Amino acid sequence: MASFVDRVVLHVSGGTGGHGCVSVKREKFKPLGGPDGGNGGDGGAVILRVEPQTTTLLDYHHAPHRHATNGGNGMGDWREGKRGETLILPVPDGTVVKTRDGEVLADLVGAGTEYVAAAGGQGGLGNSSLSSQKRKAPGFALLGIPGDARDVVLELKSIADIALVGFPSAGKSSLIAAMSAARPKIADYPFTTLRPNLGVVQAGEVRFTIADVPGLIEGASEGRGLGHDFLRHVERCAALVHVLDCAALETDRDPLKDLEIIESELDRYAVDMSYAGPGGEVVPLNERPRLVALNKVDVPDGRDMAEFVRPELEARGYRVFEVSATSHEGLRQLGFAMAEIVREARELLKTAPPVVAPPVLRPRAVNEKGFVIRREEKNLEPLFRVLGEKPERWVKQTDFTNDEAVGYLADRLAKLGVEEQLFRSGAKPGDTVVIGEGDGVVFDWEPTMMGGAELLASPRGTDIRLAEYVRPTRDQKREDHQNRKDARAAAREELEAERKAGIWTESVNYKHSGPKAAKNDGATDTGSGGDAGED
């Protein structure tokens, strides 16, 4: 198994914010000292950072799921929850971050460059932060918001000035080993190179980097062989060097045919926008400066072949060098030619003015509401969907088991103008309202007819606007009154029967019979009660 991976799909998610705390300070002689619930801690973020010591994406190939730590919940006595720890993921220099659709999110070049792949969730506010002059003792707190969760594609594109391209076993790895201190694997069989190799070359005062890309074959642009997967490593290079094997053992191959095949594959390869030259333009691979290195001229057949094809290559406009990785013949001249191209490319980068998009400040429009309402239909019934950053975030922060929290959400939505917009959109009481995409949070819309919850006298944790109240009709009131009268009459009859049986000593009609009757009855009852006591 190869120990080099240059493309992975990474599943990252930020930490969830901690919930706010509902607490009331209680002290001796001061049982209700006011709300003291602390805020929840923010969740940790996932950050990609360029580390020079990291050269491959192999770790993320084996463990593609990465999650930052969650924030801690708030506590009483105004204690805030612990913030989630940020997860730092080291990546190699030259890593490009993309979406699954191919959109470039970041190009990480240079040690220490960072990109926030997944932000952490916001912690919820405690009831002490929600208190105000009108709502002095909130009986609810806000919940923490989950962190961002998404899939990103990491592609490694080597940072090199010159790229060596050619057929397998053309001698690219031997050349990079002969011209630099790099020691790539070298063998006499095709596809020896399974990963790009980098080497640093010093030619005079110019120091530059060359990359050895795995060999290309015919059909590489369509996915054949190994080279197509590694062509992304030459997208940052200023020039290409065609390494042609002049001592190939195959009878159906020659340097001219090999060059035509490689050029054809380079023409078909589309360079994406992750690398842009001066002026923000992307230069195709086949339009960049190119040199031709006729390799293995130390072999008699190789020298004869090089002398035979050199005039034809020069007639096509190529600068041709006869080199040998074994005897080091021609390597010095090839190195200085590479250095000349690199120097020109670097000077062009210095003189070309950087393309910087001017900042555009767009103040929020006066009539911008921050949300939209989309009318839909579900099961032949109207459905109104509320979409917006604020409403969707507020719904995530609401504890729907707490009526006061639900009332607070209703007040926030009404203040934002959601109810007014629902009226204008044709919503009627009882219609279905969904906040957010998909299933979202579903409500049966009932317009708010009273003021905010802080103006209403209701116990903490409740909202009288959410209490189910049905106004009785006149017939129901009359029936209820008659039922109460019948119940009282039955109770008096029962007590009177008990009195006559000797259980009670005072008539239930005491107030109606008058003081004299009560006195006579009391004397009679006292005697009978005394006899009963003696028995």
Side-chain angles (χ1 to χ4, degrees):
M1 176 181 294
S3 60
F4 177 77
V5 175
D6 67 342
R7 187 181 188 278
V8 296
V9 177
L10 192 62
H11 312 278
V12 293
S13 57
T16 302
H19 302 327
C21 176
V22 181
S23 175
V24 176
K25 190 172 183 61
R26 303 180 186 276
E27 297 178 353
K28 189 175 181 180
F29 306 117
K30 196 175 183 180
L32 297 178
D36 66 343
N39 302 333
D42 295 337
V46 180
I47 297 179
L48 304 177
R49 178 184 295 172
V50 175
E51 295 290 348
Q53 296 79 9
T54 305
T55 58
T56 178
L57 302 174
L58 182 63
D59 293 342
Y60 309 123
H61 174 72
H62 295 301
H65 296 271
R66 301 301 175 102
H67 178 74
T69 57
N70 300 329
N73 296 332
M75 295 169 285
D77 201 14
W78 298 282
R79 291 176 295 174
E80 295 187 353
K82 181 180 179 182
R83 295 176 61 92
E85 296 183 3
T86 300
L87 178 61
I88 304 295
L89 301 180
V91 296
D93 192 5
T95 301
V96 178
V97 186
K98 299 181 179 181
T99 63
R100 284 185 175 270
D101 298 332
E103 179 185 358
V104 177
L105 301 176
D107 191 359
L108 305 180
V109 178
T113 305
E114 294 183 350
Y115 172 71
V116 180
Q122 180 182 356
L125 297 180
N127 64 340
S128 61
S129 299
L130 297 173
S131 62
S132 62
Q133 287 293 104
K134 298 179 179 179
R135 183 187 281 106
K136 296 186 177 181
F140 69 99
L142 299 184
L143 305 180
I145 299 177
D148 295 340
R150 60 176 176 173
D151 299 340
V152 294
V153 179
L154 304 184
E155 290 185 355
L156 175 59
K157 298 185 179 182
S158 301
I159 307 297
D161 300 299
I162 303 292
L164 306 180
V165 295
F167 265 67
S169 298
K172 301 183 297 299
S173 299
S174 300
L175 279 180
I176 197 174
M179 299 181 68
S180 67
R183 292 295 176 265
K185 181 180 179 180
I186 300 174
D188 58 352
Y189 54 85
F191 302 115
T192 305
T193 302
L194 298 178
R195 53 166 292 179
N197 299 303
L198 298 179
V200 179
V201 180
Q202 183 76 35
E205 298 179 354
V206 181
R207 182 188 296 268
F208 58 93
T209 306
I210 57 177
D212 165 26
V213 181
L216 298 174
I217 62 175
E218 187 174 4
S221 61
E222 301 174 357
R224 294 185 58 193
L226 300 176
H228 177 261
D229 291 336
F230 293 96
L231 275 177
R232 66 175 67 96
H233 293 275
V234 306
E235 293 183 359
R236 302 181 188 273
C237 299
L240 305 179
V241 175
H242 288 281
V243 180
L244 303 180
D245 188 359
C246 292
L249 300 179
E250 293 86 351
T251 57
D252 58 342
R253 283 181 52 193
D254 62 80
L256 294 178
K257 185 176 180 180
D258 291 351
L259 178 62
E260 293 174 355
I261 294 176
I262 299 302
E263 288 282 358
S264 176
E265 298 303 324
L266 294 178
D267 291 342
R268 298 176 185 176
Y269 183 78
V271 181
D272 61 21
M273 293 298 298
S274 60
Y275 173 80
E281 299 179 356
V282 177
V283 181
L285 297 181
N286 59 343
E287 296 182 8
R288 301 181 187 183
R290 286 161 293 175
L291 304 176
V292 174
L294 299 176
N295 196 19
K296 302 181 182 179
V297 296
D298 56 307
V299 181
D301 294 341
R303 186 175 297 276
D304 295 340
M305 179 62 73
E307 294 176 356
F308 177 75
V309 300
R310 179 167 186 164
E312 178 65 22
L313 294 174
E314 291 178 346
R316 297 182 183 183
Y318 294 103
R319 294 182 61 183
V320 183
F321 298 87
E322 298 180 6
V323 299
S324 172
T326 303
S327 63
H328 291 201
E329 179 182 348
L331 295 184
R332 180 178 176 82
Q333 293 81 358
L334 178 61
F336 277 99
M338 295 179 183
E340 181 181 353
I341 295 176
V342 172
R343 184 188 298 109
E344 294 177 356
R346 293 175 180 175
E347 290 296 331
L348 183 61
L349 289 176
K350 292 180 181 179
T351 57
V355 178
V356 179
V360 179
L361 301 179
R362 295 185 177 90
R364 189 168 66 92
V366 177
N367 58 349
E368 183 179 350
K369 301 179 179 61
F371 67 93
V372 294
I373 295 180
R374 188 172 66 207
R375 180 162 183 167
E376 302 176 1
E377 186 174 311
K378 184 176 182 181
N379 298 330
L380 302 179
E381 295 291 337
L383 182 145
F384 297 87
R385 189 178 299 276
V386 181
L387 301 176
E389 188 269 335
K390 285 186 176 180
E392 296 180 21
R393 185 180 76 245
W394 292 346
V395 165
K396 295 178 182 178
Q397 294 176 328
T398 302
D399 179 12
F400 287 94
T401 62
N402 188 303
D403 289 346
E404 188 177 357
V406 178
Y408 179 69
L409 172 64
D411 295 338
R412 299 175 86 178
L413 295 176
K415 186 177 180 180
L416 188 63
V418 174
E419 289 199 358
E420 180 181 356
Q421 190 64 27
L422 284 172
F423 271 118
R424 294 181 179 179
S425 301
K428 299 179 180 179
D431 287 346
T432 302
V433 177
V434 181
I435 299 180
E437 290 286 1
D439 295 337
V441 179
V442 183
F443 298 92
D444 289 334
W445 186 53
E446 293 293 340
T448 301
M449 303 304 295
M450 293 181 288
E454 67 274 7
L455 303 178
L456 306 175
S458 57
R460 287 188 299 113
T462 62
D463 193 323
I464 61 175
R465 296 173 299 175
L466 302 179
E468 295 185 1
Y469 175 75
V470 179
R471 185 175 182 178
T473 63
R474 182 172 299 177
D475 293 338
Q476 291 175 341
K477 290 181 178 179
R478 186 179 296 109
E479 181 181 358
D480 183 58
H481 178 67
Q482 186 64 37
N483 292 336
R484 289 198 298 269
K485 288 176 60 179
D486 295 343
R488 285 197 296 268
R492 284 197 298 269
E493 292 177 359
E494 182 180 358
L495 291 175
E496 186 64 20
E498 292 178 353
R499 185 192 68 80
K500 292 179 178 180
I503 300 177
W504 304 103
T505 62
E506 184 177 303
S507 173
V508 295
N509 295 322
Y510 169 78
K511 295 182 180 180
H512 304 285
S513 59
K516 187 175 180 179
K519 182 178 180 181
N520 297 331
D521 290 344
T524 304
D525 293 340
T526 301
S528 61
D531 296 339
E534 292 176 359
D535 293 339

